[in-house]
């Protein structure tokens, strides 16, 4: 990849191969951690095939559900049962069937506003982590899943939004989304998302070709500023690459 970039680019044939590759990476990271593992999920449509795969026999049987905790990197500020709620989607596809309820950590949306939700989730993350400062030697998450939007946003970190510049807060409220759905968001910040052993972007389909081209050209986009303190991986399919399959 382009100049001095530490990300790893992995190309696969199609969305099915991408989901399999993501599931295998997720499982490998869980296996590497003999204790309590923490996975930060993402929303939108990109991770749905992965979540469906994790619910199938071959995968669910390999997940040590008792010691894996599930978080989410951003949320749309709508009730948990609303069809566009990110954690609601993950719960419906796989978590509610297999994960102990105490291991599922949704961003609360029953608060007065997205700022209050962010404060509550930040304190939940800090109590899970056992400290209020992130130690680069002790990442918060084993894996952080990410997607990328057409404008280069990732999680709910939009271009030119002040949330991008947060260095102290772990979670912030974003009163206005820059793209659909236009509901307030709650998002983990770059330092919190980056505190992980692996940050794994899933980028598939021809509709992602334009933004993937801009990412690979190292444009100043939120998704290009999101980096793991460990490994950052772009998992892309042939259509997103514009048909190339190196
Ligand atoms: C959200 C997200 C967001 C998403 C991208 C890609 O809540 O919308 O977490 O960052 O990952 O917008 O979305 P798609 O996968 O739907 O293209």
């Amino acid at each position: 990849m382009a100049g001095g970039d530490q990300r790893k680019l992995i190309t696969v044939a199609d969305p099915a191969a991408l989901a399999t590759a993501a599931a295998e990476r997720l499982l490998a990271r869980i296996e590497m951690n003999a204790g309590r593992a923490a996975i930060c999920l993402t929303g939108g449509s990109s991770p749905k095939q992965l979540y469906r795969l994790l619910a199938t026999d071959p995968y669910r049987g390999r997940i040590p559900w008792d010691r894996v905790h599930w978080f989410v990197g951003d949320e749309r500020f709508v009730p948990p049962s609303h069809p566009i709620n990110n954690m609601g989607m993950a719960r419906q596809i796989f978590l509610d069937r297999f994960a102990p309820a105490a291991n599922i950590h949704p961003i609360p949306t029953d608060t007065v506003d997205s700022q209050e939700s962010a404060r509550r989730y930040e304190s939940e993350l800090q109590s899970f982590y056992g400290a209020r400062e992130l130690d680069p030697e002790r990442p918060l998450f084993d894996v952080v899943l990410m997607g990328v939007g057409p404008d280069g946003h990732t999680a709910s970190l939009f271009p030119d939004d002040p949330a991008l510049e947060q260095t102290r807060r772990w979670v912030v409220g974003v009163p206005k989304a820059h793209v659909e759905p236009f509901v307030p968001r709650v998002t983990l910040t770059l330092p919190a998302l980056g505190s992980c052993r692996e940050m794994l972007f899933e980028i598939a389909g021809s509709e992602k070709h334009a933004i993937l081209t801009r990412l690979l050209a190292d444009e100043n986009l939120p998704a290009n500023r999101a980096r793991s303190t460990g490994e950052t991986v772009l998992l892309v399919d042939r259509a997103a690459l514009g048909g190339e399959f190196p």
Side-chain angles (χ1 to χ4, degrees):
M1 285 189 50
D5 193 274
Q6 295 305 303
R7 289 180 302 196
K8 186 191 271 185
L9 178 69
I10 299 178
T11 58
V12 295
D14 53 31
L18 192 136
T20 303
E24 291 299 335
R25 296 193 73 88
L26 199 72
L27 278 161
R29 287 289 172 187
I30 292 171
E31 277 159 26
M32 276 178 224
N33 180 346
R36 186 182 67 165
I39 308 296
C40 186
L41 301 173
T42 185
S45 57
S46 301
K48 286 186 180 173
Q49 200 157 348
L50 166 65
Y51 298 167
R52 282 195 282 266
L53 192 61
L54 295 176
T56 62
D57 282 344
Y59 284 96
R60 76 180 171 89
R62 289 167 62 194
I63 298 173
W65 294 99
D66 284 351
R67 63 175 185 87
V68 182
H69 287 254
W70 308 88
F71 296 86
V72 66
D74 77 310
E75 192 52 272
R76 290 95 177 261
F77 195 68
V78 293
S81 59
H82 195 288
I84 63 167
N85 184 282
N86 286 338
M87 189 56 120
M89 179 264 288
R91 294 184 81 136
Q92 199 223 326
I93 299 180
F94 77 113
L95 288 180
D96 278 348
R97 268 180 291 158
F98 311 118
N103 292 11
I104 305 174
H105 304 265
I107 292 178
T109 56
D110 58 349
T111 51
V112 57
D113 59 17
S114 63
Q115 320 286 351
E116 178 56 22
S117 165
R119 278 189 286 275
R120 266 178 49 193
Y121 205 53
E122 182 169 278
S123 87
E124 179 165 355
L125 283 170
Q126 291 177 343
S127 92
F128 179 84
Y129 185 68
R132 296 178 69 175
E133 297 293 328
L134 290 164
D135 174 356
E137 302 300 318
R138 189 170 71 85
L140 172 57
F141 300 114
D142 292 273
V143 178
V144 171
L145 292 174
M146 298 282 248
V148 58
D151 56 350
H153 79 260
T154 192
S156 284
L157 295 166
F158 298 100
D160 303 321
D161 195 284
L164 266 176
E165 308 310 326
Q166 269 294 340
T167 52
R168 193 180 51 82
R169 296 288 307 273
W170 296 19
V171 190
V172 294
V174 179
K176 276 193 167 46
H178 297 208
V179 296
E180 284 188 343
F182 292 106
V183 293
R185 311 290 187 98
V186 182
T187 189
L188 270 63
T189 58
L190 290 174
L193 292 164
S195 179
C196 59
R197 299 193 187 278
E198 177 167 333
M199 180 179 283
L200 182 59
F201 282 86
E202 286 189 275
I203 307 174
S206 55
E207 66 281 10
K208 300 282 181 189
H209 176 58
I211 193 62
L212 179 60
T213 305
R214 294 178 62 195
L215 286 182
L216 297 179
D218 278 337
E219 274 191 46
N220 182 11
L221 298 166
N224 267 344
R225 292 179 57 185
R227 295 300 165 100
S228 169
T229 50
E231 195 177 8
T232 305
V233 177
L234 300 185
L235 196 48
V236 306
D237 80 344
R238 188 188 339 220
L241 275 176
E244 301 159 41
F245 194 40

